[in-house]
Amino acid sequence: TGDFGAETQSADIVLPGIEVDPFEAKSYDASLEWYNREGSAITFAVFKKDISNFITTMGICSNAALEQAGFSSLVGTISEVNNACVASGVDGSLNAGSEVSITQVQNIGNDISVDGLEISIQQNLDFLPAPWNGFGGILNYSRTSQDSDADNDVKVTGISDDTFNAIAYFEQDNYGLRLSYNYRSDYELESVGTFNGAGNKSVKAAGRLDFSAYYKLSKQTKINFKGYNLTESLYEEYESVEWQPRATHFDGRTFVVSIQHSFF
């Protein structure tokens, strides 16, 4: 597809992905687990994933790609000038110096390695006298890193370097309460890579607090109450650096009440 500006003399072109191979991954996992009592565990795990034929949308400046897609007669000859793809004004409808943006889905020829570790502690305090025996908690931390020998530092998107979860709960025979806090450091979004490596989109680091409770009216009927984002955390996107904001979403606090009934 192509979008040509008559006044601005520019072109935005999305070329079809051709001869794209599915990406392949080799995964390695190892864990050490200690179940110190019923309903409780302490675990440590490491993992590694080697990805090849990674698929991403890349910015290109290629006369051969334009000719193959049938856009040569419209755009004409292009070349890279000062880290920008521009038309030469020859054999096409664009004036000389017009900016041309071309993107295409491609495989990168470099491997990406994703490595990490995870520590998790879950403890059920049922050994305490009533009513304290209903308390329990879960702590979880993971650290992930990525490494690629690609020139433009391509990464698997949506992965934070640091992720932390803390859950405290109290449960009895007919009711239960749960408070959870989740945090993740900033992470990249899927975006169009360019031939000069600019324009990465990311999400700022953020944490949020959620709450849930239930009460059993009978064996068949249960009332559920949930509260999301009690801290009113923002979702904030930025480009390349945090002082270049792209979007901010405010969802506020959300509360949900439901009744669950089983007829069997």
Side-chain angles (χ1 to χ4, degrees):
T1 61
D3 180 19
F4 300 88
E7 297 181 357
T8 60
Q9 281 289 288
S10 64
D12 295 313
I13 302 172
V14 180
L15 299 179
I18 57 176
E19 298 180 357
V20 177
D21 297 323
F23 79 82
E24 300 177 352
K26 295 180 179 178
S27 300
Y28 309 90
D29 300 272
S31 65
L32 179 64
E33 304 172 359
W34 178 36
Y35 300 94
N36 54 318
R37 60 178 170 273
E38 185 176 356
S40 301
I42 301 174
T43 64
F44 175 79
V46 293
F47 55 87
K48 181 179 179 63
K49 185 184 294 290
D50 294 326
I51 303 173
S52 57
N53 296 332
F54 188 71
I55 302 172
T56 188
T57 302
M58 298 293 296
I60 62 174
C61 190
S62 169
N63 286 289
L66 283 180
E67 183 177 358
Q68 187 176 14
F71 283 108
S72 294
S73 59
L74 296 173
V75 178
T77 305
I78 57 175
S79 60
E80 183 181 342
V81 179
N82 296 328
N83 289 330
C85 190
V86 298
S88 64
V90 179
D91 300 328
S93 60
L94 293 182
N95 295 333
S98 299
E99 186 174 346
V100 182
S101 174
I102 308 172
T103 57
Q104 185 178 40
V105 176
Q106 295 180 345
N107 292 115
I108 66 169
N110 308 77
D111 293 342
I112 300 176
S113 178
V114 180
D115 306 274
L117 58 87
E118 181 179 29
I119 301 173
S120 180
I121 301 174
Q122 177 176 347
Q123 294 297 304
N124 189 355
L125 305 183
D126 55 358
F127 60 89
L128 297 176
W132 311 108
N133 59 347
F135 282 103
I138 302 172
L139 295 175
N140 177 279
Y141 170 77
S142 63
R143 173 71 179 178
T144 305
S145 61
Q146 299 189 51
D147 181 49
S148 170
D149 53 1
D151 294 336
N152 53 2
D153 194 26
V154 176
K155 292 184 177 181
V156 181
T157 57
I159 299 179
S160 297
D161 289 344
D162 299 285
T163 304
F164 173 76
N165 303 287
I167 301 174
Y169 59 85
F170 179 79
E171 294 182 343
Q172 293 296 302
D173 292 338
N174 61 336
Y175 70 94
L177 309 171
R178 179 169 293 233
L179 195 66
S180 62
Y181 179 79
N182 304 284
Y183 169 85
R184 62 184 303 185
S185 59
D186 57 344
Y187 59 94
E188 289 190 12
L189 297 173
E190 185 175 1
S191 57
V192 177
T194 62
F195 52 86
N196 62 352
N200 293 328
K201 296 186 296 184
S202 300
V203 177
K204 282 186 179 182
R208 57 179 287 172
L209 184 67
D210 299 323
F211 173 79
S212 65
Y214 70 87
Y215 181 78
K216 294 181 180 178
L217 297 175
S218 65
K219 292 183 178 180
Q220 289 79 27
T221 306
K222 182 171 66 173
I223 299 177
N224 299 294
F225 175 81
K226 296 182 179 180
Y228 300 101
N229 196 18
L230 301 182
T231 49
E232 295 190 325
S233 298
L234 297 177
Y235 172 89
E236 299 176 274
E237 292 182 13
Y238 64 91
E239 183 168 336
S240 299
V241 291
E242 290 191 3
W243 51 265
Q244 288 185 311
R246 288 181 51 89
T248 298
H249 300 168
F250 175 71
D251 297 327
R253 299 185 183 96
T254 303
F255 299 99
V256 178
V257 178
S258 63
I259 299 178
Q260 180 181 345
H261 181 78
S262 175
F263 296 92
F264 301 96

